[in-house]
Amino acid sequence: MQIVQDIATLRDIIGEVKKKGLSIGLVPTMGFLHEGHLSLMRAAKAENDFLVVSIFVNPLQFGQGEDYEEYPRDLARDQELAAAVGCDLIFAPPVKEMYPRGYATFVEVERLTTVLCGSSRPGHFRGVTTVVAKLFNLVSPTHAYFGQKDAQQAFVLQKMVEDLNMNLELVIRPTVREADGLAMSSRNKYLTSAQRKEATVLFKSLNKAAGEIEKGERDPEKLKEKIAQEISAARGARLEYIEIVDTSELRPVSTVAGSCLIAIAVKFDQTRLIDNIVVGV
Ligand code: PAF
């Protein structure tokens, strides 16, 4: 496995891989790898000849007062984990390699980025789409892999790929969960042990809502109310949003019909957790 930190070397290697006609799978990450990332990597390895994993804590997608500085980093551990799943190349550039002095170009998807997480994290998705577009240009992957846990990110990136005619396929893989249902996230590390126990409320409340839908409930307001009640019963949990939206434009639905995304964000102190399920009726 090669570890590359500069764009010139990356370009040379990718050029050689392309010359051989090999397919490339890309798993973009911010490092501190967990089983969610590893499951994306295993899929990418199985479906492509050459696996590239990028590890870059992207300053552009963190707002003022967010956790850019504290975001967990452990490149040595990440290298071991990535090597064990058959990664061929890790791209781990320093910030100045991605955003040199005078950097001025950004990619922005409209509409889909102002709702859900976008309303409390202005500029976040602009940071994500900009860095991911750059990674796509650098790696020219055949397939790029993302988790369903970041459902809005997946929608936004799919829109970017379509709108900008990017020549690759996005693969969105199911959320990987801890045994008690908590969605895996590098940010789970911030939780105290008491918060960690309470954090199962995200997935539990989503499942309760799915159960109500199965029993026939179609009113999004009533479903949101149920979820809010569950969340408020968890010690230390502060609900940031619950939304029930359609899966094409992420617009709030007036009745649950067809395919809907139920997405929530909950804060435990400064730690912000998100989760979602897709329901189809
Ligand atoms: O999902 C993430 O970890 C990040 O948003 C991504 C896609 C690697 C872009 O920095």
Side-chain angles (χ1 to χ4, degrees):
M1 185 179 74
Q2 306 180 72
I3 295 146
V4 174
Q5 295 194 304
D6 68 287
I7 286 170
T9 309
L10 178 69
R11 282 236 153 95
D12 286 348
I13 297 170
I14 295 295
E16 289 303 315
V17 173
K18 289 264 156 190
K19 240 189 258 165
K20 289 187 200 145
L22 301 179
S23 59
I24 300 177
L26 171 66
V27 182
T29 81
M30 298 206 299
F32 209 69
L33 303 178
H34 52 66
E35 189 49 40
H37 299 115
L38 298 177
S39 81
L40 298 180
M41 292 179 201
R42 285 189 205 102
K45 181 72 185 176
E47 293 164 10
N48 301 273
D49 302 316
F50 193 85
L51 170 58
V52 177
V53 173
S54 64
I55 298 182
F56 179 62
V57 184
N58 173 32
L60 218 59
Q61 69 188 73
F62 289 79
Q64 285 245 325
E66 288 189 0
D67 56 341
Y68 174 68
E69 300 295 339
E70 305 90 70
Y71 197 85
R73 293 160 170 90
D74 190 343
L75 191 56
R77 178 176 161 277
D78 288 348
Q79 282 175 19
E80 271 178 37
L81 291 169
V85 294
C87 173
D88 296 291
L89 186 154
I90 288 184
F91 179 53
V95 172
K96 64 178 187 327
E97 190 71 6
M98 294 297 273
Y99 306 118
R101 255 174 91 97
Y103 186 87
T105 305
F106 302 88
V107 177
E108 185 155 12
V109 173
E110 297 188 352
R111 286 198 316 278
L112 295 179
T113 53
T114 55
V115 295
L116 306 175
C117 292
S119 48
S120 54
R121 303 188 73 191
H124 167 69
F125 288 110
R126 179 180 186 255
V128 171
T129 42
T130 299
V131 80
V132 171
K134 282 168 72 71
L135 291 167
F136 287 174
N137 282 337
L138 290 168
V139 176
S140 47
T142 324
H143 300 98
Y145 294 76
F146 298 89
Q148 171 65 24
K149 193 203 133 229
D150 298 305
Q152 188 177 12
Q153 171 171 281
F155 277 106
V156 168
L157 291 172
Q158 187 65 58
K159 189 79 179 147
M160 174 184 81
V161 166
E162 279 166 28
D163 287 356
L164 296 183
N165 313 104
M166 291 175 164
N167 191 18
L168 76 152
E169 203 180 304
L170 290 197
V171 182
I172 311 303
R173 304 267 312 165
T175 303
V176 179
R177 299 181 179 281
E178 303 285 357
D180 62 4
L182 177 65
M184 290 204 185
S185 162
S186 305
R187 290 193 168 98
N188 292 348
K189 179 185 167 11
Y190 300 143
L191 298 169
T192 64
S193 60
Q195 290 171 337
R196 169 65 190 81
K197 278 192 202 123
E198 298 291 334
T200 54
V201 73
L202 278 85
F203 191 47
K204 276 191 196 139
S205 67
L206 289 170
N207 276 332
K208 272 251 166 83
E212 295 296 318
I213 292 170
E214 226 159 82
K215 283 191 246 156
E217 182 61 77
R218 295 289 179 267
D219 181 347
E221 293 312 316
K222 290 205 178 121
L223 292 164
K224 282 159 68 172
E225 184 64 41
K226 272 255 152 55
I227 297 174
Q229 273 169 11
E230 285 277 314
I231 306 274
S232 65
R235 210 169 320 133
R238 244 178 329 114
L239 183 62
E240 189 178 289
Y241 70 74
I242 318 171
E243 294 291 352
I244 305 183
V245 297
D246 66 69
T247 53
S248 53
E249 284 285 327
L250 304 182
R251 278 174 309 221
V253 295
S254 52
T255 181
V256 176
S259 168
C260 293
L261 175 76
I262 311 182
I264 56 177
V266 174
K267 270 186 143 179
F268 287 89
D269 282 333
Q270 292 311 303
T271 306
R272 185 174 178 280
L273 303 180
I274 57 172
D275 203 348
N276 68 84
I277 52 170
V278 174
V279 291
V281 292

